[in-house]
């Protein structure tokens, strides 16, 4: 078991040093410099989580979905917020790829996570 944990720590270190994470970290810091932008990003994240929770519960909350879309459009007008969201997306894609590779290695069915 320790060998697996050691490999996981190596992977964590590689992810921390990755270009995707470094760009994400820089973009987050730049976006969070402005308190209003930071609060809007946090509110956007909460609304996304609320919409996802509703979907997982089998409900489609149209109002929340529209709010998320409007907030996303507002954030895209802010260069630093837009750069942060794009960097976050790229990092999330990388993590998703890693999770898929790990899942495939142990024949884990991840089809429920595919959108």
């Amino acid at each position: 078991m320790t060998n697996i944990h050691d490999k996981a720590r190596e992977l964590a270190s590689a992810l921390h040093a990755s270009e995707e994470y470094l760009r994400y970290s820089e973009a987050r810091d730049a976006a969070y410099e402005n308190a209003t932008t930071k609060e809007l990003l946090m509110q956007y994240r909460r609304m996304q989580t609320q919409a996802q929770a509703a979907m997982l519960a089998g409900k489609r909350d149209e109002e929340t979905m529209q709010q998320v879309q409007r907030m996303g459009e507002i954030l895209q007008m802010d260069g630093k917020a837009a750069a942060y969201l794009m960097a976050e997306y790229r990092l999330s894609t990388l993590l998703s790829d890693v999770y898929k590779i790990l899942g495939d290695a142990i024949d884990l069915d991840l089809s429920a996570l595919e959108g």
Side-chain angles (χ1 to χ4, degrees), residues 25-111:
S25 182
E26 290 171 2
R28 179 193 57 213
D29 291 348
Y32 281 14
E33 285 175 352
N34 181 299
T36 302
T37 301
K38 180 179 178 179
E39 180 54 37
L40 287 173
L41 286 164
M42 293 171 75
Q43 183 179 358
Y44 180 65
R45 191 71 58 233
R46 285 189 297 270
M47 290 185 329
Q48 280 184 318
T49 301
Q50 183 181 2
Q52 289 171 349
M55 287 177 62
L56 288 173
K59 303 173 186 170
R60 183 156 173 87
D61 185 347
E62 288 298 327
E63 183 179 335
T64 301
M65 294 296 288
Q66 289 176 358
Q67 289 175 343
V68 168
Q69 184 176 352
R70 281 192 299 269
M71 180 69 74
E73 291 168 358
I74 291 167
L75 289 169
Q76 288 299 323
M77 289 188 248
D78 180 314
K80 290 181 179 181
Y84 166 68
L85 291 171
M86 183 55 70
E88 182 181 58
Y89 174 77
R90 288 185 179 129
L91 179 61
S92 177
T93 300
L94 174 63
L95 294 173
S96 179
D97 291 348
V98 168
Y99 194 71
K100 180 172 180 354
I101 291 166
L102 295 174
D104 288 349
I106 59 172
D107 198 27
L108 183 63
D109 182 7
L110 300 175
S111 61

Side-chain angles (χ1 to χ4, degrees), residues 5-21:
H5 288 105
D6 291 342
K7 294 295 182 187
R9 285 183 194 85
E10 286 178 35
L11 177 58
S13 181
L15 287 168
H16 192 266
S18 71
E19 184 175 329
E20 290 85 354
Y21 175 75

